[in-house]
Amino acid sequence: MKTIDKSNLDKIIGILKKDGYTVIGPIVKDGAIVYDEIESINDLPVGWGDEQEAGSYKLVKRNDDSLFGYVVGPQSWKKFLFPQRMKLWEAGREGRGFKINHSDEPVPKYAFLGVRSCELKAIFIQDKVFNNDMYTDSYYNNVRNNIFIISVNCTQSASTCFCVSMKSGPKAKDGFDISLTEVINKEGHYFVLDEASEKGKELTEMLDAQTATEQQIKAADEAIASAELSMKRSMNTAGIKELLYHNHDHPNWAEIATRCLSCANCTLVCPTCFCHTMEDTTDLTGDHTERWRRWDSCFSLDYSKVAGGSFRTSAKARYRQWMTHKLASWIDQFGTSGCVGCGRCISWCPVGIDITSEVEKIRNSPKNKIINQ
Amino acid sequence: MDNNKSGLMKLDPMTPEAVKVKKIFWETEDVFTIELVYDSDEKREFSYKPGQFNMLYAFGVGESAISISSDSSKKNSLLHTIHKVGYVTNVLSKLKKGDIIGLRGPFGSSWPLEEAKGKDICIIVGGIGLAPLRPSIYHILKHRKQYGKFVLLYGARTPRDILYPVELESWRKKYDIQIEVTVDRADSTWRGHVGVVTTLLNYVELNPEKTMAMVCGPEIMMKYAVDELIKHGVTEKEIYVSLERNMKCALGFCGHCQYGPSFVCKDGPVFSFSKVTDIFEIKEL
Amino acid sequence: MEDLSGILRNHPFMKDLDENYLKQITGCASNVAYREDEVIFKEGDKAEKFYLIRTGKVALEINGRDKGNLRILTVGPGQILGWSWIVSPYKWHFEAHALEEVRAIALDGECLRNKCDDDPKMGYEMLKRFSHILEQRLQSTRMQLLDVYKRV
């Protein structure tokens, strides 16, 4: 374990940029912390924090100049690995047929600065989605294989967080190149640094890093522990797959549907939701066409459409699909829950539907209480 | 990067390959068949298993998932029998000989023709559902001795909607197969059965202990067929169904075709009924 | 030639029926045969019989008036034709005619009703068997109603 100061964090950004990386980090934009390209630590949300509740998110000024004093915003890193809209190919008419051209744009080389532990877990989950037993998504994996990850451990939690329940935080345990824990106390403002990869070690060697003292490590651990201790929400995941599989007809789904707007916000902010659709767009001459891949949501009516009609016409069935997939069938599909406990779907739901309390309502209904005993 | 572990396709599985329309003809008023060949001098063969499907791409319009309906031992061309129901299939129906379309595939699971060896085979199909099973029928007829009794029960909407009538007649004449065809509605000129496809089971002697059933058609029809088969004593694991869901990518990535924990495009479309028993009756799943 | 009770015993509808009942039912039975296209009964006629089909196919048609004759069901070997003899006022709702040469056992409705009245246990057994057929026919009709193969 080492420690570095702010100027060395800036140095990391410089080294990565020199090395050809596009460095992505948190910035303040449109009243939220979002992820975008950064040039230096000056672009980071210095002194900003966030307050979140079901159906609410707002930025607040902190009384320190921390760089990572917020929790999570509406975006996640999936937008770089699995872009919201992406051209797969284009084609031109040729005789009675067509010719397909692929874009020859180079694969982006990203360095992610500020990846939360839950977000790291979300990336691991999408790794499984886009590399299944039969096929590999080339764009995702090409980007993924080039990525440099600097994770930042959480030292506070939002009221919507429940990563402890999902065993995905607040501390990043592996899968990063470098991890940082930001500490601000009377000793100063520093980052406790841990390297996990060869690339991470090489980079650390180029820094002016000190060996971390026991006290510094303890301060970092305590900060992470305070995030864990202050976590208000939780989700009881015991037997959750069976619970949801056996409650397709639970009255709570209809109750949720009276509130749910089917707006798809939860699926868009979720760092693991992967559903997308294909769209063909053709110009007015009819001679040039493009195939685009864009995010889609199980909340849309077209999502389950076949020639004969849609399979899930009611909002109730669509919410049930989303939640049952996320928390139950995901386990059968990918060997892991699809939820990392980041709480985004709670904060960004315009009507404040809270996945943790919906699970609780189903679990605590009289019929299921008997099952639970 | 090896982005195609399935080994089924040569290129990027997201990119359609160009194929040429060799023949296109109407089977009924709204069902047509396209024969496709590779549009190159290079001698290339199609390789697929009975029950698999392709994504057919009409330039500038889009893709549609279509089951392959040809004899899988004939590798020079592919047949797809298509119900004209939507935007893409409407455009496909207007193709002319020599036109080029795109093809991705083959995708998905296949009918269990290996496991079926030595067993009696009962195929129950409804409507366009005969098309995805035609490759299996070809296979079983070609290897007739490897299978026991062979029964094909087929339900169509009206006599005019019966697919492959000439072929059905020639199978009846040439091979050891019991074929019963019924329609839901008919006028007085029709001499065959009238009634839902499951009533045809009344005319068949099944030995449930050694029968394997393959069922394909609208999901509601499959539900009744499966119920009847089970009533006759056929076990769930010996009943296979082919499910239809919204297939977009066909690679198990886009999520649209999810059915409980399964991706129908990749884990299906052919499932042992025992795999879906628990979820088959759930509404709007 | 097989005797009537033997034929009855081997018909799927009478499967595993008590021998005593079989004997009584045989008393109401007669052998019948119809040529191709011969009408077996007409819509509105008195339903005096029901039939256990042995060979051949029978078409049931409803007179759709301006919609023409609608063929709604065919029944064949091993199946039964007609249940209107159980329900008052014992009138046929459909027309039935032979699509090919048909051989069947006809059972006299009144004879059978009387025997069932005298022996309600047998009556219940017969009713159970008919209910099963009715349920199947109703279910099939619903399926036809769904018009599942229709183009949308």
Side-chain angles (χ1 to χ4, degrees), chain B residues 196 224, chain C residues 135-148:
Chain B
V196 294
Y224 282 99
Chain C
E135 191 260 356
Q136 263 192 352
R137 300 264 163 103
L138 182 62
Q139 205 60 353
S140 299
T141 309
R142 284 171 177 161
M143 277 285 285
Q144 280 168 288
L145 202 63
L146 282 173
D147 201 5
V148 292

Side-chain angles (χ1 to χ4, degrees), chain A residues 96 131 276 303 313 320, chain B residues 5 97 251 255-256 283-284:
Chain A
R96 296 175 74 178
N131 188 4
H276 54 273
Y303 179 83
T313 49
R320 182 184 69 186
Chain B
K5 282 171 268 185
K97 184 182 171 185
L251 309 172
H256 287 75
K283 271 192 234 165
E284 291 193 77

Side-chain angles (χ1 to χ4, degrees), chain B residues 157 184 190-191 194 203 224, chain C residues 71 74 76 79 143-144 147:
Chain B
R157 186 164 186 251
D184 272 354
W190 170 246
R191 310 304 287 180
V194 178
Y203 305 116
Y224 282 99
Chain C
R71 187 165 300 171
T74 52
Q79 297 186 273
M143 277 285 285
Q144 280 168 288
D147 201 5

Side-chain angles (χ1 to χ4, degrees), chain B:
Chain B
M1 162 162 310
D2 175 21
N3 49 17
N4 178 13
K5 282 171 268 185
S6 72
L8 294 173
M9 281 170 292
K10 288 172 183 145
L11 296 170
D12 171 22
M14 270 318 295
T15 309
E17 279 188 274
V19 285
K20 186 153 60 180
V21 176
K22 191 183 170 195
K23 215 190 268 176
I24 178 162
F25 52 94
W26 289 94
E27 300 276 3
T28 70
E29 200 184 328
D30 55 5
V31 176
F32 61 100
T33 293
I34 311 186
E35 181 174 3
L36 298 170
V37 290
Y38 274 117
D39 178 40
S40 60
D41 302 330
E42 174 199 359
K43 274 218 168 7
R44 288 186 55 192
E45 295 191 327
F46 293 103
S47 174
Y48 60 92
K49 294 183 193 144
Q52 289 193 299
F53 68 95
N54 284 319
M55 298 299 293
L56 298 188
Y57 167 61
F59 175 75
V61 179
E63 284 187 328
S64 196
I66 311 284
S67 289
I68 306 169
S69 55
S70 42
D71 181 343
S72 57
S73 70
K74 294 180 180 159
K75 297 182 182 296
N76 295 324
S77 73
L78 277 181
L79 295 176
H80 294 85
T81 295
I82 305 169
H83 203 173
K84 192 181 92 172
V85 282
Y87 196 38
V88 175
T89 53
N90 193 28
V91 172
L92 291 174
S93 77
K94 291 180 179 133
L95 291 169
K96 298 268 181 300
K97 184 182 171 185
D99 285 344
I100 307 287
I101 63 167
L103 178 147
R104 294 194 293 126
F107 297 112
S109 59
S110 55
W111 298 105
L113 296 167
E114 273 305 306
E115 295 88 320
K117 281 185 182 162
K119 293 178 184 165
D120 292 349
I121 310 296
C122 177
I123 290 180
I124 306 182
V125 291
I128 192 80
L130 176 57
L133 265 155
R134 192 165 68 162
S136 291
I137 298 171
Y138 287 136
H139 180 94
I140 296 168
L141 293 178
K142 189 164 280 180
H143 305 92
R144 190 63 195 86
K145 288 196 180 123
Q146 295 176 4
Y147 300 90
K149 190 171 173 172
F150 187 17
V151 176
L152 168 62
L153 309 179
Y154 171 35
R157 186 164 186 251
T158 73
R160 289 193 308 174
D161 294 306
I162 294 170
L163 292 176
Y164 319 134
V166 176
E167 204 166 20
L168 288 169
E169 204 39 54
S170 81
W171 289 339
R172 226 182 235 136
K173 280 195 186 124
K174 275 176 36 196
Y175 298 100
D176 174 20
I177 178 172
Q178 182 186 353
I179 300 177
E180 302 289 345
V181 179
T182 185
V183 296
D184 272 354
R185 53 199 69 197
D187 62 20
S188 306
T189 59
W190 170 246
R191 310 304 287 180
H193 300 287
V194 178
V196 294
V197 68
T198 45
T199 60
L200 296 177
L201 280 167
N202 288 316
Y203 305 116
V204 173
E205 279 190 35
L206 283 185
N207 177 355
E209 319 243 289
K210 55 178 292 225
T211 297
M212 178 179 274
M214 302 179 196
V215 183
C216 187
E219 201 161 309
I220 176 74
M221 168 248 142
M222 292 199 284
K223 177 197 139 55
Y224 282 99
V226 169
D227 283 352
E228 280 301 313
L229 285 164
I230 289 171
K231 256 194 236 170
H232 279 77
V234 183
T235 58
E236 287 174 355
K237 70 174 195 13
E238 295 295 317
I239 301 173
Y240 285 78
V241 293
S242 180
L243 297 176
E244 185 197 14
R245 284 294 182 276
N246 185 359
M247 256 88 94
K248 285 274 183 192
C249 74
L251 309 172
F253 293 149
C254 80
H256 287 75
C257 67
Q258 280 179 88
Y259 181 57
S262 299
F263 293 94
V264 172
C265 69
K266 177 172 77 70
D267 307 324
V270 177
F271 290 93
S272 163
F273 187 72
S274 58
K275 257 210 106 168
V276 297
T277 312
D278 294 343
I279 56 177
F280 204 62
E281 302 276 352
I282 299 172
K283 271 192 234 165
E284 291 193 77
L285 186 72

